[in-house]
Amino acid sequence: MDRETYQRGLEIRSAVLGEEYVGRAMAAADDFTEPLQDLVTEYCWGAVWGRDGLPLKTRSMLNLAMISILNRPNELRTHIKGALTNGVSRDEIREIFLQVAIYAGMPAAVDSFRIASAVFGELDQSQDKD
């Protein structure tokens, strides 16, 4: 493991998804899942998200489209929140999912809109409590 890449990945992952989310994921890792957490942190977040070629906002937008198409609702929920953190607006998220409808199919878009609406509602409720 490259410690520098891992550390950069941990910093980016925590900044995008939130320290609480990443802390829970790392704490829940066991002998079986810890290698996956290390791989995700080092390679996904450090080696790829840590590159200078694209801004984090663009990477988030790409992720929303790809994860939507792959039908991964749990990851989509997480990355919608991350995209908002990276400056992607709700209007931009809507446009991404409309693009998904045309190029990947209506069912993927419908589910993505449904998940995004739920995430937005949760975030709005938590902001109202603050």
Side-chain angles (χ1 to χ4, degrees):
M1 175 185 306
D2 180 59
R3 297 302 302 167
E4 184 178 322
T5 304
Y6 181 90
Q7 189 58 41
R8 181 173 55 244
L10 187 59
E11 290 169 9
I12 294 169
R13 187 179 183 193
S14 297
V16 173
L17 302 180
E19 288 184 21
E20 183 179 326
Y21 176 88
V22 174
R24 277 194 319 267
M26 302 295 258
D30 56 23
D31 289 341
F32 181 71
T33 61
E34 185 175 6
L36 177 62
Q37 288 297 319
D38 291 343
L39 185 70
V40 165
T41 301
E42 182 180 359
Y43 289 103
C44 176
W45 291 100
V48 176
W49 279 77
R51 293 176 57 83
D52 293 331
L54 292 172
L56 295 179
K57 179 179 178 179
T58 302
R59 290 187 190 280
S60 281
M61 294 172 88
L62 289 166
N63 266 23
L64 292 181
M66 291 183 290
I67 294 168
S68 173
I69 292 165
L70 290 170
N71 189 25
R72 298 294 184 258
N74 292 325
E75 286 295 306
L76 184 60
R77 172 180 293 281
T78 298
H79 279 278
I80 288 169
K81 292 175 184 176
L84 292 167
T85 298
N86 284 338
V88 180
S89 71
R90 292 179 184 199
D91 289 345
E92 289 170 320
I93 291 171
R94 179 185 57 231
E95 294 304 317
I96 291 163
F97 294 153
L98 289 172
Q99 192 87 3
V100 164
I102 299 305
Y103 287 94
M106 202 57 70
V110 169
D111 282 350
S112 298
F113 269 90
R114 188 175 292 126
I115 291 166
S117 293
V119 169
F120 296 160
E122 291 165 10
L123 293 173
D124 291 346
Q125 276 187 326
S126 70
Q127 287 175 354
D128 289 344
K129 291 178 183 177
D130 294 339

